[in-house]
């Protein structure tokens, strides 16, 4: 790993030397002058996100080389959502939602702009004949397509449409790290974002009380919220996923698998959609002892999809917009009908929220709770008025926290509004098999330094999720012989991609050439080498393993400093330099000028390029040797 990083540095240095040395220094100075006149670009990011905090200075440094002044603003989750949804930013790093949301649910979230990612306002100023409205109409049409052959072509057109507008710069694929004390065994990766399957672990030694610092929506854990399965923030995905289950779940290789429904069928209906018939799993009980059956399933959906909520709160995805009705065929058969074809309907039912099932005793008013006057929706939502229906919903929240999942919630320790610990017990009656963990304890830490210290001194058993520890800390633990003997470091496959959002609604990024300049000035490959060595550079917004996302897009939005210079000054930087022969960098600024500069650049660039090639050659040779040694070791182990 270290050798590969060193080789990458040499390649980057040599390439950069050759690129800059071949550039007209007057054009570079003209570009710097033009771009500095725009004033500061505001880069907003989440204050508790250790990953984005680590890379924002790399972005600022790259853009400063071409004259842009970037002002970084770290914000709370609420303030970040407000800034993004109102378009009060120039740059912001966001992520796709990963499987099973990508691309369907994530793209549908663009339509109303309520997802908090900032993509909707960022698309307001498309170039030329293109428009945000046309793109969103394309998304709506693709969402209703259930023939994979036609869906593939429609999604390809969508990907090309937004790509050509230079509004989203793909950065890196995000993998979910897990650091686990080796007294625990049986690690398997989760199947979607915030899926931390602790219930699959086995306790090999020590007490069956396990402590965890989970990666939360804001990086470091702060709160589990109200743990209401029918709403969104401030609840955390991972804790709701331990406690609550839906009709179906998301499994390996993108497959929808049985959960509280054992089997199902899908057939076309006479209202333009499909009929989904779920045969429910028998013998399942909630944590409070209540039985699971069709009446409970219907009660949950009566509250979740009450018309005003379906329109206002759940209109970002197809279950909210396309579900026509739901009924009980018998005690253990639940039937749902859609009024439009929606290919990702089952995937959306597998999401961690909002269609997870709560006990009938958890409703305020019990099984007789009225969906309009006493709805389970979050109290803070107050009264939700319908848009196309003359109804209102009164949100009263839930009376208790009770699901069917592998862990039951027991208590939390709070002081002055701060959550310090949250306790869960293993569900000994879990239909999928009782967890080997008797008690699971979430512990809150105030910094990543504290998390690392607790993990290494064995006060903390598990760190699971992104945004808790930096890549450098993870690599340090992984590569240290003493630490690695104590701590297992594992990572799942990349399940979602990070991207830079360039807000077309905020000048100067309303100019596509300025957006392209910014894109080509950011050296994302070096950024990953510097700050995220466990990640992988990507060229597409969505993971290529997501449905309909394995597509080549041109032009590639990659680092090209010379192109960034030539795009500056409305594409006239080189012409300005030619018209102003005295407008060139001084020897102090550039080191030399004219032919001497080129000679110096070539003099440095060529040897460095040779060194880099040699480094790569040695790295390949070293890798082959490592594989051969590993093979010999395995053979030796098998024969021992």
């Amino acid at each position: 790993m270290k050798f590969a990083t060193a080789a990458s540095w040499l390649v980057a240095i040599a390439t950069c030397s050759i690129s800059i040395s071949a550039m007209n220094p007057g054009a570079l100075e003209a570009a710097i002058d033009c771009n500095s006149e725009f004033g500061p670009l505001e880069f907003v990011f989440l204050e508790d996100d250790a990953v984005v905090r680590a890379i924002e200075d790399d972005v600022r440094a790259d853009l400063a080389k071409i004259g842009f002044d970037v002002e970084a603003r770290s914000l709370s989750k609420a303030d970040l959502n407000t800034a993004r949804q109102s378009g009060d930013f120039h740059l912001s790093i966001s992520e796709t939602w990963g499987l099973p949301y990508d691309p369907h649910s994530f793209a549908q979230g663009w339509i109303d702009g309520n997802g908090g990612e900032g993509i909707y306002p960022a698309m307001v100023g498309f170039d030329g004949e293109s428009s945000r409205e046309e793109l969103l109409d394309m998304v709506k049409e693709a969402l209703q397509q259930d023939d994979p052959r036609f869906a593939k072509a429609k999604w390809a057109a969508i990907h090309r449409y937004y790509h050509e507008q230079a509004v989203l710069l793909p950065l890196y694929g995000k993998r979910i790290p897990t650091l686990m004390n080796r007294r625990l065994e049986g690690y398997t990766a989760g199947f979607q974002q915030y899926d931390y399957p602790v219930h699959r672990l086995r306790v090999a030694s020590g007490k069956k009380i396990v402590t965890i610092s989970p990666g939360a929506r804001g990086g470091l854990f702060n709160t589990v919220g109200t743990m209401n399965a029918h709403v969104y923030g401030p609840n955390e995905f991972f804790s709701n996923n331990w406690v609550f289950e839906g009709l179906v779940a998301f499994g390996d290789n993108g497959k929808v698998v049985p959960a509280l429904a054992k089997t199902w069928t899908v057939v076309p209906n006479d209202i333009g959609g499909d009929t989904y018939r779920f045969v429910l799993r028998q013998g399942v009980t909630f944590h409070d002892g209540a039985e699971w059956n069709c009446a409970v399933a219907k009660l949950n959906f009566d509250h979740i999809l009450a018309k005003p909520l379906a329109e206002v709160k759940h209109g970002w995805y197809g279950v909210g917009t396309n579900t026509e009705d739901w009924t009980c065929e018998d005690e253990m058969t639940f039937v749902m009908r859609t009024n439009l074809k929606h290919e990702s309907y089952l995937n959306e039912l597998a999401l961690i929220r909002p269609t997870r099932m709560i006990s009938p005793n958890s409703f305020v008013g019990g099984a007789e709770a009225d969906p309009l006057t006493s709805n389970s929706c979050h109290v803070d939502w107050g009264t939700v008025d319908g848009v196309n229906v003359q109804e209102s919903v009164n949100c009263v929240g839930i009376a208790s926290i009770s699901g069917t999942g592998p862990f039951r919630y027991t208590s939390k320790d709070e002081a002055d509004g701060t959550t310090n610990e949250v306790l869960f017990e293993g569900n000994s009656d879990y239909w999928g098999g009782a967890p080997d963990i008797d008690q699971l304890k979430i512990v809150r830490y105030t910094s990543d330094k504290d998390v690392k210290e607790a993990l290494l001194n064995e006060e903390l058993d598990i760190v699971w999720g992104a945004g808790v520890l930096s890549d450098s800390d993870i690599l340090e633990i992984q590569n240290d012989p003493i630490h690695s003997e104590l701590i297992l470091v594992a990572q799942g496959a990349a399940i979602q991609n990070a991207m830079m959002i360039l807000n077309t609604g905020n000048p100067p990024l309303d100019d596509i050439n300025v957006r392209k300049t910014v894109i080509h000035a950011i050296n994302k490959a070096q950024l990953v080498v510097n700050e995220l060595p466990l990640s992988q550079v990507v060229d597409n917004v969505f993971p290529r393993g997501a449905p309909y996302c394995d597509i080549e897009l041109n032009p590639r939005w990659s680092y090209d400093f010379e192109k960034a210079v030539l795009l500056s000054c409305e594409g006239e930087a080189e012409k300005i330099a030619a018209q102003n022969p005295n407008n060139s960098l001084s020897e102090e600024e550039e080191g030399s000028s004219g032919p001497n500069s080129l000679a110096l650049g070539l003099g440095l660039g060529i040897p460095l390029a040779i060194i880099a090639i040699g480094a790569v050659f040695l790295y390949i040779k070293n890798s082959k040797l490592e594989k051969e040694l590993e093979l010999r070791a395995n053979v030796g182990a098998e024969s021992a």
Side-chain angles (χ1 to χ4, degrees):
M1 176 67 75
K2 290 179 179 177
F3 196 94
T5 301
S8 301
W9 267 101
L10 287 168
V11 171
I13 292 169
T15 304
C16 183
S17 174
I18 294 170
S19 176
I20 294 176
S21 66
M23 188 184 305
N24 181 337
L28 175 56
E29 186 173 13
I32 291 172
D33 288 344
C34 289
N35 295 329
S36 63
E37 292 178 2
F38 290 130
L41 302 181
E42 292 202 356
F43 179 8
V44 299
F45 63 94
L46 187 64
E47 60 186 358
D48 291 330
D49 193 324
V51 174
V52 178
R53 183 176 289 278
I55 67 177
E56 61 90 9
D57 58 339
D58 295 75
V59 172
R60 284 191 289 111
D62 280 346
L63 294 180
K65 293 173 187 174
I66 200 167
F68 289 107
D69 175 25
V70 177
E71 288 187 358
R73 277 199 296 151
S74 62
L75 302 173
S76 67
K77 181 67 176 177
D79 289 343
L80 180 63
N81 284 347
T82 299
R84 283 173 168 174
Q85 288 180 221
S86 64
D88 182 20
F89 70 98
H90 288 96
L91 305 172
S92 188
I93 291 180
S94 187
E95 301 162 347
T96 65
W97 295 345
L99 294 172
Y101 296 86
D102 292 343
H104 300 80
S105 300
F106 186 74
Q108 183 161 354
W110 300 348
I111 293 173
D112 62 9
N114 289 328
E117 282 75 24
I119 293 177
Y120 179 82
M123 289 180 169
V124 69
F126 277 0
D127 190 61
E129 298 295 320
S130 300
S131 69
R132 178 177 65 187
E133 288 67 31
E134 183 176 22
L135 173 63
L136 299 184
D137 284 343
M138 293 167 66
V139 170
K140 292 174 185 176
E141 187 175 344
L143 290 172
Q144 296 174 19
Q145 181 57 251
D146 66 346
D147 187 323
R149 296 170 300 170
F150 298 116
K152 182 177 180 179
K154 291 182 183 298
W155 280 107
I158 290 169
H159 296 316
R160 293 190 182 97
Y161 196 100
Y162 65 73
H163 179 82
E164 291 169 358
Q165 291 300 316
V167 65
L168 302 174
L169 169 62
L171 293 173
Y172 53 87
K174 183 177 177 181
R175 302 169 69 189
I176 305 303
T178 304
L179 293 88
M180 185 173 76
N181 191 294
R182 290 187 183 273
R183 77 181 191 89
L184 304 174
E185 297 176 343
Y187 163 82
T188 55
F191 300 128
Q192 58 176 299
Q193 187 182 193
Y194 304 112
D195 176 13
Y196 310 149
V198 184
H199 64 286
R200 299 195 189 115
L201 299 178
R202 298 183 302 276
V203 180
S205 64
K207 295 181 179 180
K208 295 198 172 186
I209 300 172
V210 173
T211 54
I212 183 170
S213 175
R217 294 182 304 134
L220 287 171
F221 166 75
N222 280 305
T223 178
V224 292
T226 61
M227 293 191 64
N228 184 337
H230 294 170
V231 299
Y232 306 103
N235 302 314
E236 285 290 351
F237 290 88
F238 61 83
S239 49
N240 276 24
N241 198 39
W242 293 335
V243 174
F244 303 106
E245 298 176 296
L247 296 172
V248 293
F250 197 64
D252 201 6
N253 297 318
K255 297 256 175 83
V256 175
V257 298
L260 292 179
K262 193 172 182 179
T263 61
W264 59 88
T265 58
V266 184
V267 296
N269 60 34
D270 57 2
I271 57 173
D274 290 307
T275 296
Y276 295 77
R277 181 172 281 100
F278 298 94
V279 177
L280 304 183
R281 191 178 296 276
Q282 297 189 7
V284 176
T285 58
F286 288 89
H287 299 153
D288 60 7
E291 292 185 3
W292 161 247
N293 54 38
C294 189
V296 176
K298 184 177 184 303
L299 173 65
N300 274 265
F301 277 95
D302 285 347
H303 282 251
I304 299 166
L305 296 183
K307 289 296 185 183
L309 296 180
E311 289 183 345
V312 177
K313 297 296 184 179
H314 309 314
W316 59 271
Y317 78 142
V319 170
T321 58
N322 299 336
T323 304
E324 178 70 18
D325 52 38
W326 49 96
T327 56
C328 286
E329 190 172 280
D330 56 44
E331 185 181 7
M332 299 304 291
T333 306
F334 183 58
V335 180
M336 303 181 73
R337 293 196 308 163
T338 65
N339 49 36
L340 285 174
K341 297 285 186 180
H342 192 70
E343 184 189 18
S344 63
Y345 195 77
L346 283 171
N347 274 30
E348 292 177 354
L349 287 174
L351 303 183
I352 294 175
R353 59 191 191 187
T355 56
R356 295 288 175 100
M357 302 293 102
I358 68 175
S359 167
N361 301 323
S362 294
F363 292 87
V364 177
E368 304 303 318
D370 188 278
L372 294 181
T373 62
S374 187
N375 195 281
S376 60
C377 50
H378 193 16
V379 174
D380 287 355
W381 289 2
T383 299
V384 180
D385 297 323
V387 177
N388 297 311
V389 293
Q390 300 300 313
E391 292 179 340
S392 296
V393 160
N394 180 43
C395 296
V396 297
I398 55 175
S400 62
I401 299 168
S402 181
T404 60
F407 290 97
R408 61 165 57 89
Y409 166 81
T410 58
S411 64
K412 57 183 172 181
D413 172 28
E414 290 186 326
D416 300 324
T418 299
T419 301
N420 296 311
E421 288 184 355
V422 187
L423 298 181
F424 302 84
E425 289 181 353
N427 179 8
S428 58
D429 297 322
Y430 183 50
W431 62 265
D436 195 37
I437 296 170
D438 291 340
Q439 186 182 80
L440 181 63
K441 181 190 298 185
I442 299 177
V443 183
R444 179 180 177 272
Y445 296 91
T446 57
S447 71
D448 53 343
K449 180 181 177 182
D450 293 337
V451 173
K452 181 181 176 183
E453 182 179 332
L455 183 68
L456 295 179
N457 66 24
E458 299 188 73
E459 293 176 8
L460 178 65
D461 289 306
I462 306 172
V463 174
W464 204 323
V468 182
L469 293 177
S470 66
D471 278 16
S472 59
D473 281 338
I474 294 172
L475 280 174
E476 178 191 332
I477 294 171
Q478 179 176 280
N479 295 331
D480 184 285
I482 297 176
H483 295 337
S484 61
E485 189 174 337
L486 174 68
I487 304 296
L488 169 72
V489 177
Q491 284 201 107
I495 60 171
Q496 59 188 134
N497 287 352
M499 74 198 86
M500 176 75 78
I501 304 172
L502 294 89
N503 186 2
T504 68
N506 204 347
L509 297 184
D510 56 342
D511 184 334
I512 192 170
N513 278 333
V514 177
R515 298 198 298 275
K516 290 179 179 180
T517 300
V518 169
I519 285 174
H520 289 302
I522 295 176
N523 191 346
K524 61 183 182 181
Q526 195 58 55
L527 180 152
V528 168
V529 168
N530 291 349
E531 310 293 353
L532 302 166
L534 298 177
S535 298
Q536 184 178 17
V537 176
V538 295
D539 291 322
N540 291 31
V541 168
F542 293 99
R544 296 187 71 150
Y548 313 122
C549 295
D550 189 10
I551 180 174
E552 293 290 339
L553 296 171
N554 291 300
R556 287 185 63 206
W557 296 138
S558 55
Y559 176 64
D560 190 331
F561 193 77
E562 184 175 6
K563 186 175 288 186
V565 169
L566 297 179
L567 283 166
S568 299
C569 307
E570 300 181 354
E572 301 290 323
E574 198 163 41
K575 185 182 291 185
I576 292 171
Q579 292 172 350
N580 299 278
N582 295 323
N583 186 27
S584 60
L585 296 176
S586 68
E587 292 190 10
E588 288 184 359
E589 293 170 313
E590 182 65 13
S592 62
S593 59
N596 292 332
S597 173
L598 180 58
L600 178 61
L602 292 173
L604 289 173
I606 292 174
L608 283 171
I610 293 171
I611 292 170
I613 293 168
V616 172
F617 172 77
L618 289 173
Y619 171 63
I620 293 170
K621 187 174 181 181
N622 182 62
S623 297
K624 289 180 178 178
L625 179 60
E626 286 180 352
K627 288 180 181 178
E628 184 177 345
L629 290 172
E630 183 180 353
L631 178 61
R632 290 179 183 177
N634 290 338
V635 171
E638 289 174 3
S639 62

